Amino acid sequence: MTDRIESFIQSRAGKKILGALGVSTPVELQRYSPQQSSFFSGRLLLGAASDAQLLNAAADIIQASDADVLADASALEQCTALDKTADEGRYNALVFDGSGLKNGLELVQAYRFFHDNIRQLASGGRVILLGRPHLQSANAEQAAAQRALEGLARSLAKELGSRGSTAQLITVADGAENNLGAALRFFLSPKSAYISGQVVKISAADQSGEVDWHKPLAGKTAIVTGASRGIGEAIAETLARDGAKVIGIDVGAMEVDLARVMTRINGIPLVADITAADAGDKIAATAKDAGGVDLIVHNAGVTRDKMLVNMSEQQWQMTLDINLASAQRITAKLLEDGLIRNGGSIVGVSSMNGIAGQRGQTNYAASKAGVIGYVDFMQHDEKLRAHNITVNAVAPGFIETAMTAAIPLFTRMFGRRLNSLSQGGLPVDVAEAIAFFGNPLSRGVNGNTLRICGQSWFGA
Ligand code: NAD
């Protein structure tokens, strides 16, 4: 039944009906493959507003890829490392440094760059704007100009999404120029295929060295809760693919599936209910045996949907405990025992519904909004900062898993298309973002909640 309806949607008549409703049919997204020799290949045009402060850092990073790098007149003038002028050909990426913009009228420089070049962006292309955190501006005019870049990035993402292209804004704090690399590589690469219209902030942090693009987590150990299926399985697989040793956790009822996944990736299975009183001790003991961990991913989650008026306290409390409170208890225990290594990462799994709210999901949305609150607060935690440990969250939108397969057919079919890329994401899309947070070169990526939703029409 589902297949028949899906093939109708892909037919000419189906596309016409969806088109009339303003819903376009999707372009197939290119995702990571180990055969790709570098994080980016193809033609990339680099542009800059006057007084660009991030151009040199961006040029260094991009020139270390397989990109054929061209530059607009302003970028050529401001960066001696660039020598190739923009031409009439197609581009696979447009990168614009707007960090020097000081007031609203100067934004016309961004307008000109995109107006002149956006038609040449190939489908599946990338647009990246670079700016400064607006609240760190010298005055209100500059703050307005820097914040304006966000509106531009999000709107470009909406204009480009039907061609499978994405657009983001990366804001780089003063002194964090050397921390830009991991984010720029990630958002230019196929690993970020299902992320669009996002703002990612980079702050100053200690980090050094080189990281292999294909094995960024070599030598690292990661804990993943709810690892036996769905998004958790993809997270475990992706972290292992990137070189990490994975400790996968799930409940007793999922023991066989957990063992299957862990055997496949040479990981360590740990059967535990994360809400149990002894869960923290059990997880800490396994982490200790592994010599500490570098990454903890709080993926386990449940829905217990009911209108609030019909929801039992047990349904409320169980959802809040699994999705929110137990993750905090486990993190606190690992930190208390010093089991999260210096330069480590804590990652929460929120949800688009935690941002937008959802009818029948007061418990779920509250728990997932709580995850964001936890990240917002903990990014400033002195103990974490002292150990260079970051805290971030992903907020998935419509991801094709058992959880979304349980949504009634028609809601599901429309639900997966209500975003700029007109399709549901894959579990691996969430996993790639988590691997990006865990990358040793992402120490400046702290306090972000990154939506993995193809720029869903809801919530932001
Ligand atoms: P899923 O139901 O397929 O997997 C969840 C896993 O968590 C299961 O293996 C389950 O056994 C485990 N788990 C549940 N309670 C547990 C407990 N008390 N202790 C240990 N493990 C427990 O769900 P999914 O779709 O893969 O979602 C994974 C995460 O992503 C969840 O936090 C979910 O809220 C979030 N999310 C999913 C979507 C989506 O579209 N699928 C969207 C937004 C957010």
Side-chain angles (χ1 to χ4, degrees), residues 42 100 117 125 129 143 146 163 194 217 221 235 264 297 311 360 403 406 422 453:
N117 298 300
L129 284 100
Q146 290 302 312
R163 292 159 53 206
Y194 194 62
L217 301 177
T221 302
I235 296 168
R264 200 168 63 224
V297 186
M311 189 183 293
M403 194 183 258
S422 304
C453 63

mmCIF file with all atom_site columns, all heavy atoms in Angstrom, residues 42 100 117 125 129 143 146 163 194 217 221 235 264 297 311 360 403 406 422 453:
data_model
loop_
_atom_site.group_PDB
_atom_site.id
_atom_site.type_symbol
_atom_site.label_atom_id
_atom_site.label_alt_id
_atom_site.label_comp_id
_atom_site.label_asym_id
_atom_site.label_entity_id
_atom_site.label_seq_id
_atom_site.pdbx_PDB_ins_code
_atom_site.Cartn_x
_atom_site.Cartn_y
_atom_site.Cartn_z
_atom_site.occupancy
_atom_site.B_iso_or_equiv
_atom_site.pdbx_formal_charge
_atom_site.auth_seq_id
_atom_site.auth_comp_id
_atom_site.auth_asym_id
_atom_site.auth_atom_id
_atom_site.pdbx_PDB_model_num
ATOM 1   N N   . GLY A 1 42  ? 35.304 19.673 -6.519 1.00 0.00 ? 42  GLY A N   1
ATOM 2   C CA  . GLY A 1 42  ? 34.472 20.459 -7.426 1.00 0.00 ? 42  GLY A CA  1
ATOM 3   C C   . GLY A 1 42  ? 34.922 21.900 -7.402 1.00 0.00 ? 42  GLY A C   1
ATOM 4   O O   . GLY A 1 42  ? 35.970 22.232 -6.831 1.00 0.00 ? 42  GLY A O   1
ATOM 5   N N   . GLY A 1 100 ? 33.124 41.226 7.937  1.00 0.00 ? 100 GLY A N   1
ATOM 6   C CA  . GLY A 1 100 ? 33.491 42.647 7.996  1.00 0.00 ? 100 GLY A CA  1
ATOM 7   C C   . GLY A 1 100 ? 32.308 43.586 7.841  1.00 0.00 ? 100 GLY A C   1
ATOM 8   O O   . GLY A 1 100 ? 32.484 44.817 7.899  1.00 0.00 ? 100 GLY A O   1
ATOM 9   N N   . ASN A 1 117 ? 26.043 35.148 -8.680 1.00 0.00 ? 117 ASN A N   1
ATOM 10  C CA  . ASN A 1 117 ? 26.589 33.785 -8.800 1.00 0.00 ? 117 ASN A CA  1
ATOM 11  C C   . ASN A 1 117 ? 25.630 32.643 -8.502 1.00 0.00 ? 117 ASN A C   1
ATOM 12  O O   . ASN A 1 117 ? 25.930 31.492 -8.814 1.00 0.00 ? 117 ASN A O   1
ATOM 13  C CB  . ASN A 1 117 ? 27.803 33.649 -7.873 1.00 0.00 ? 117 ASN A CB  1
ATOM 14  C CG  . ASN A 1 117 ? 28.910 34.602 -8.270 1.00 0.00 ? 117 ASN A CG  1
ATOM 15  O OD1 . ASN A 1 117 ? 29.417 34.520 -9.394 1.00 0.00 ? 117 ASN A OD1 1
ATOM 16  N ND2 . ASN A 1 117 ? 29.259 35.524 -7.394 1.00 0.00 ? 117 ASN A ND2 1
ATOM 17  N N   . GLY A 1 125 ? 24.412 21.674 -4.380 1.00 0.00 ? 125 GLY A N   1
ATOM 18  C CA  . GLY A 1 125 ? 25.501 22.605 -4.038 1.00 0.00 ? 125 GLY A CA  1
ATOM 19  C C   . GLY A 1 125 ? 25.461 23.032 -2.574 1.00 0.00 ? 125 GLY A C   1
ATOM 20  O O   . GLY A 1 125 ? 24.526 22.719 -1.832 1.00 0.00 ? 125 GLY A O   1
ATOM 21  N N   . LEU A 1 129 ? 27.815 30.974 4.583  1.00 0.00 ? 129 LEU A N   1
ATOM 22  C CA  . LEU A 1 129 ? 28.118 32.355 4.946  1.00 0.00 ? 129 LEU A CA  1
ATOM 23  C C   . LEU A 1 129 ? 28.929 32.329 6.224  1.00 0.00 ? 129 LEU A C   1
ATOM 24  O O   . LEU A 1 129 ? 28.654 31.521 7.130  1.00 0.00 ? 129 LEU A O   1
ATOM 25  C CB  . LEU A 1 129 ? 26.826 33.145 5.182  1.00 0.00 ? 129 LEU A CB  1
ATOM 26  C CG  . LEU A 1 129 ? 26.090 33.535 3.911  1.00 0.00 ? 129 LEU A CG  1
ATOM 27  C CD1 . LEU A 1 129 ? 24.948 32.599 3.638  1.00 0.00 ? 129 LEU A CD1 1
ATOM 28  C CD2 . LEU A 1 129 ? 25.565 34.957 4.037  1.00 0.00 ? 129 LEU A CD2 1
ATOM 29  N N   . ALA A 1 143 ? 25.863 44.863 14.912 1.00 0.00 ? 143 ALA A N   1
ATOM 30  C CA  . ALA A 1 143 ? 25.102 43.703 15.413 1.00 0.00 ? 143 ALA A CA  1
ATOM 31  C C   . ALA A 1 143 ? 23.966 43.384 14.444 1.00 0.00 ? 143 ALA A C   1
ATOM 32  O O   . ALA A 1 143 ? 23.707 42.215 14.121 1.00 0.00 ? 143 ALA A O   1
ATOM 33  C CB  . ALA A 1 143 ? 24.560 43.988 16.805 1.00 0.00 ? 143 ALA A CB  1
ATOM 34  N N   . GLN A 1 146 ? 25.363 41.752 11.255 1.00 0.00 ? 146 GLN A N   1
ATOM 35  C CA  . GLN A 1 146 ? 25.796 40.360 11.448 1.00 0.00 ? 146 GLN A CA  1
ATOM 36  C C   . GLN A 1 146 ? 24.594 39.426 11.645 1.00 0.00 ? 146 GLN A C   1
ATOM 37  O O   . GLN A 1 146 ? 24.567 38.322 11.120 1.00 0.00 ? 146 GLN A O   1
ATOM 38  C CB  . GLN A 1 146 ? 26.763 40.268 12.644 1.00 0.00 ? 146 GLN A CB  1
ATOM 39  C CG  . GLN A 1 146 ? 28.118 40.913 12.374 1.00 0.00 ? 146 GLN A CG  1
ATOM 40  C CD  . GLN A 1 146 ? 28.831 40.306 11.165 1.00 0.00 ? 146 GLN A CD  1
ATOM 41  O OE1 . GLN A 1 146 ? 28.922 39.087 11.029 1.00 0.00 ? 146 GLN A OE1 1
ATOM 42  N NE2 . GLN A 1 146 ? 29.322 41.147 10.266 1.00 0.00 ? 146 GLN A NE2 1
ATOM 43  N N   . ARG A 1 163 ? 16.531 22.063 -5.169 1.00 0.00 ? 163 ARG A N   1
ATOM 44  C CA  . ARG A 1 163 ? 17.588 21.481 -6.022 1.00 0.00 ? 163 ARG A CA  1
ATOM 45  C C   . ARG A 1 163 ? 18.568 20.647 -5.190 1.00 0.00 ? 163 ARG A C   1
ATOM 46  O O   . ARG A 1 163 ? 19.667 20.312 -5.654 1.00 0.00 ? 163 ARG A O   1
ATOM 47  C CB  . ARG A 1 163 ? 18.316 22.601 -6.762 1.00 0.00 ? 163 ARG A CB  1
ATOM 48  C CG  . ARG A 1 163 ? 17.361 23.251 -7.801 1.00 0.00 ? 163 ARG A CG  1
ATOM 49  C CD  . ARG A 1 163 ? 17.803 24.631 -8.210 1.00 0.00 ? 163 ARG A CD  1
ATOM 50  N NE  . ARG A 1 163 ? 19.178 24.627 -8.665 1.00 0.00 ? 163 ARG A NE  1
ATOM 51  C CZ  . ARG A 1 163 ? 19.982 25.679 -8.625 1.00 0.00 ? 163 ARG A CZ  1
ATOM 52  N NH1 . ARG A 1 163 ? 19.546 26.823 -8.121 1.00 0.00 ? 163 ARG A NH1 1
ATOM 53  N NH2 . ARG A 1 163 ? 21.211 25.605 -9.074 1.00 0.00 ? 163 ARG A NH2 1
ATOM 54  N N   . TYR A 1 194 ? 21.683 16.525 4.769  1.00 0.00 ? 194 TYR A N   1
ATOM 55  C CA  . TYR A 1 194 ? 20.288 16.766 5.175  1.00 0.00 ? 194 TYR A CA  1
ATOM 56  C C   . TYR A 1 194 ? 20.169 17.939 6.165  1.00 0.00 ? 194 TYR A C   1
ATOM 57  O O   . TYR A 1 194 ? 19.158 18.108 6.827  1.00 0.00 ? 194 TYR A O   1
ATOM 58  C CB  . TYR A 1 194 ? 19.703 15.476 5.783  1.00 0.00 ? 194 TYR A CB  1
ATOM 59  C CG  . TYR A 1 194 ? 18.194 15.525 5.928  1.00 0.00 ? 194 TYR A CG  1
ATOM 60  C CD1 . TYR A 1 194 ? 17.370 15.666 4.817  1.00 0.00 ? 194 TYR A CD1 1
ATOM 61  C CD2 . TYR A 1 194 ? 17.597 15.440 7.185  1.00 0.00 ? 194 TYR A CD2 1
ATOM 62  C CE1 . TYR A 1 194 ? 15.987 15.742 4.955  1.00 0.00 ? 194 TYR A CE1 1
ATOM 63  C CE2 . TYR A 1 194 ? 16.208 15.499 7.330  1.00 0.00 ? 194 TYR A CE2 1
ATOM 64  C CZ  . TYR A 1 194 ? 15.414 15.648 6.206  1.00 0.00 ? 194 TYR A CZ  1
ATOM 65  O OH  . TYR A 1 194 ? 14.047 15.715 6.336  1.00 0.00 ? 194 TYR A OH  1
ATOM 66  N N   . LEU A 1 217 ? 37.883 9.774  14.415 1.00 0.00 ? 217 LEU A N   1
ATOM 67  C CA  . LEU A 1 217 ? 37.718 9.341  15.806 1.00 0.00 ? 217 LEU A CA  1
ATOM 68  C C   . LEU A 1 217 ? 38.645 8.171  16.156 1.00 0.00 ? 217 LEU A C   1
ATOM 69  O O   . LEU A 1 217 ? 38.411 7.480  17.161 1.00 0.00 ? 217 LEU A O   1
ATOM 70  C CB  . LEU A 1 217 ? 36.253 8.966  16.059 1.00 0.00 ? 217 LEU A CB  1
ATOM 71  C CG  . LEU A 1 217 ? 35.241 10.102 15.814 1.00 0.00 ? 217 LEU A CG  1
ATOM 72  C CD1 . LEU A 1 217 ? 33.806 9.616  16.007 1.00 0.00 ? 217 LEU A CD1 1
ATOM 73  C CD2 . LEU A 1 217 ? 35.519 11.292 16.739 1.00 0.00 ? 217 LEU A CD2 1
ATOM 74  N N   . THR A 1 221 ? 36.914 6.550  22.325 1.00 0.00 ? 221 THR A N   1
ATOM 75  C CA  . THR A 1 221 ? 35.881 5.634  22.815 1.00 0.00 ? 221 THR A CA  1
ATOM 76  C C   . THR A 1 221 ? 34.577 6.409  22.992 1.00 0.00 ? 221 THR A C   1
ATOM 77  O O   . THR A 1 221 ? 34.590 7.532  23.518 1.00 0.00 ? 221 THR A O   1
ATOM 78  C CB  . THR A 1 221 ? 36.306 5.027  24.170 1.00 0.00 ? 221 THR A CB  1
ATOM 79  O OG1 . THR A 1 221 ? 37.559 4.359  23.979 1.00 0.00 ? 221 THR A OG1 1
ATOM 80  C CG2 . THR A 1 221 ? 35.288 4.014  24.672 1.00 0.00 ? 221 THR A CG2 1
ATOM 81  N N   . ILE A 1 235 ? 24.207 5.767  14.656 1.00 0.00 ? 235 ILE A N   1
ATOM 82  C CA  . ILE A 1 235 ? 25.243 6.535  15.367 1.00 0.00 ? 235 ILE A CA  1
ATOM 83  C C   . ILE A 1 235 ? 26.407 5.601  15.705 1.00 0.00 ? 235 ILE A C   1
ATOM 84  O O   . ILE A 1 235 ? 27.580 5.913  15.464 1.00 0.00 ? 235 ILE A O   1
ATOM 85  C CB  . ILE A 1 235 ? 24.683 7.182  16.660 1.00 0.00 ? 235 ILE A CB  1
ATOM 86  C CG1 . ILE A 1 235 ? 23.599 8.209  16.321 1.00 0.00 ? 235 ILE A CG1 1
ATOM 87  C CG2 . ILE A 1 235 ? 25.801 7.829  17.467 1.00 0.00 ? 235 ILE A CG2 1
ATOM 88  C CD1 . ILE A 1 235 ? 22.780 8.683  17.532 1.00 0.00 ? 235 ILE A CD1 1
ATOM 89  N N   . ARG A 1 264 ? 28.839 -6.544 14.774 1.00 0.00 ? 264 ARG A N   1
ATOM 90  C CA  . ARG A 1 264 ? 29.151 -6.020 13.432 1.00 0.00 ? 264 ARG A CA  1
ATOM 91  C C   . ARG A 1 264 ? 30.222 -4.930 13.482 1.00 0.00 ? 264 ARG A C   1
ATOM 92  O O   . ARG A 1 264 ? 31.060 -4.829 12.597 1.00 0.00 ? 264 ARG A O   1
ATOM 93  C CB  . ARG A 1 264 ? 27.863 -5.468 12.818 1.00 0.00 ? 264 ARG A CB  1
ATOM 94  C CG  . ARG A 1 264 ? 27.914 -5.338 11.315 1.00 0.00 ? 264 ARG A CG  1
ATOM 95  C CD  . ARG A 1 264 ? 26.540 -5.081 10.729 1.00 0.00 ? 264 ARG A CD  1
ATOM 96  N NE  . ARG A 1 264 ? 25.976 -3.829 11.189 1.00 0.00 ? 264 ARG A NE  1
ATOM 97  C CZ  . ARG A 1 264 ? 24.727 -3.668 11.587 1.00 0.00 ? 264 ARG A CZ  1
ATOM 98  N NH1 . ARG A 1 264 ? 23.887 -4.674 11.597 1.00 0.00 ? 264 ARG A NH1 1
ATOM 99  N NH2 . ARG A 1 264 ? 24.294 -2.487 11.966 1.00 0.00 ? 264 ARG A NH2 1
ATOM 100 N N   . VAL A 1 297 ? 26.812 9.812  23.870 1.00 0.00 ? 297 VAL A N   1
ATOM 101 C CA  . VAL A 1 297 ? 25.662 10.210 23.056 1.00 0.00 ? 297 VAL A CA  1
ATOM 102 C C   . VAL A 1 297 ? 24.383 9.691  23.712 1.00 0.00 ? 297 VAL A C   1
ATOM 103 O O   . VAL A 1 297 ? 24.157 8.482  23.786 1.00 0.00 ? 297 VAL A O   1
ATOM 104 C CB  . VAL A 1 297 ? 25.772 9.641  21.620 1.00 0.00 ? 297 VAL A CB  1
ATOM 105 C CG1 . VAL A 1 297 ? 24.628 10.201 20.763 1.00 0.00 ? 297 VAL A CG1 1
ATOM 106 C CG2 . VAL A 1 297 ? 27.125 9.943  21.005 1.00 0.00 ? 297 VAL A CG2 1
ATOM 107 N N   . MET A 1 311 ? -3.433 12.074 29.340 1.00 0.00 ? 311 MET A N   1
ATOM 108 C CA  . MET A 1 311 ? -2.133 11.441 29.635 1.00 0.00 ? 311 MET A CA  1
ATOM 109 C C   . MET A 1 311 ? -2.020 11.097 31.113 1.00 0.00 ? 311 MET A C   1
ATOM 110 O O   . MET A 1 311 ? -2.327 11.934 31.971 1.00 0.00 ? 311 MET A O   1
ATOM 111 C CB  . MET A 1 311 ? -1.016 12.426 29.239 1.00 0.00 ? 311 MET A CB  1
ATOM 112 C CG  . MET A 1 311 ? 0.374  11.835 29.282 1.00 0.00 ? 311 MET A CG  1
ATOM 113 S SD  . MET A 1 311 ? 1.595  13.101 28.895 1.00 0.00 ? 311 MET A SD  1
ATOM 114 C CE  . MET A 1 311 ? 1.228  13.441 27.190 1.00 0.00 ? 311 MET A CE  1
ATOM 115 N N   . GLY A 1 360 ? -0.392 16.429 21.206 1.00 0.00 ? 360 GLY A N   1
ATOM 116 C CA  . GLY A 1 360 ? -0.315 15.036 21.655 1.00 0.00 ? 360 GLY A CA  1
ATOM 117 C C   . GLY A 1 360 ? 1.069  14.642 22.159 1.00 0.00 ? 360 GLY A C   1
ATOM 118 O O   . GLY A 1 360 ? 1.309  13.481 22.488 1.00 0.00 ? 360 GLY A O   1
ATOM 119 N N   . MET A 1 403 ? 10.379 4.614  14.615 1.00 0.00 ? 403 MET A N   1
ATOM 120 C CA  . MET A 1 403 ? 9.554  5.601  15.330 1.00 0.00 ? 403 MET A CA  1
ATOM 121 C C   . MET A 1 403 ? 8.640  6.334  14.336 1.00 0.00 ? 403 MET A C   1
ATOM 122 O O   . MET A 1 403 ? 7.446  6.492  14.571 1.00 0.00 ? 403 MET A O   1
ATOM 123 C CB  . MET A 1 403 ? 10.455 6.606  16.070 1.00 0.00 ? 403 MET A CB  1
ATOM 124 C CG  . MET A 1 403 ? 9.742  7.456  17.091 1.00 0.00 ? 403 MET A CG  1
ATOM 125 S SD  . MET A 1 403 ? 10.866 8.668  17.867 1.00 0.00 ? 403 MET A SD  1
ATOM 126 C CE  . MET A 1 403 ? 11.210 7.907  19.417 1.00 0.00 ? 403 MET A CE  1
ATOM 127 N N   . ALA A 1 406 ? 5.767  4.382  12.533 1.00 0.00 ? 406 ALA A N   1
ATOM 128 C CA  . ALA A 1 406 ? 4.534  4.162  13.305 1.00 0.00 ? 406 ALA A CA  1
ATOM 129 C C   . ALA A 1 406 ? 3.536  5.312  13.123 1.00 0.00 ? 406 ALA A C   1
ATOM 130 O O   . ALA A 1 406 ? 2.401  5.222  13.575 1.00 0.00 ? 406 ALA A O   1
ATOM 131 C CB  . ALA A 1 406 ? 4.894  4.014  14.787 1.00 0.00 ? 406 ALA A CB  1
ATOM 132 N N   . SER A 1 422 ? 12.391 18.578 0.794  1.00 0.00 ? 422 SER A N   1
ATOM 133 C CA  . SER A 1 422 ? 11.216 17.771 0.392  1.00 0.00 ? 422 SER A CA  1
ATOM 134 C C   . SER A 1 422 ? 11.383 16.272 0.604  1.00 0.00 ? 422 SER A C   1
ATOM 135 O O   . SER A 1 422 ? 10.911 15.466 -0.201 1.00 0.00 ? 422 SER A O   1
ATOM 136 C CB  . SER A 1 422 ? 10.883 18.009 -1.093 1.00 0.00 ? 422 SER A CB  1
ATOM 137 O OG  . SER A 1 422 ? 10.687 19.361 -1.335 1.00 0.00 ? 422 SER A OG  1
ATOM 138 N N   . CYS A 1 453 ? 17.032 18.406 9.803  1.00 0.00 ? 453 CYS A N   1
ATOM 139 C CA  . CYS A 1 453 ? 15.623 18.357 9.424  1.00 0.00 ? 453 CYS A CA  1
ATOM 140 C C   . CYS A 1 453 ? 15.366 18.815 7.999  1.00 0.00 ? 453 CYS A C   1
ATOM 141 O O   . CYS A 1 453 ? 14.204 19.036 7.626  1.00 0.00 ? 453 CYS A O   1
ATOM 142 C CB  . CYS A 1 453 ? 14.812 19.214 10.395 1.00 0.00 ? 453 CYS A CB  1
ATOM 143 S SG  . CYS A 1 453 ? 15.265 20.958 10.336 1.00 0.00 ? 453 CYS A SG  1
#
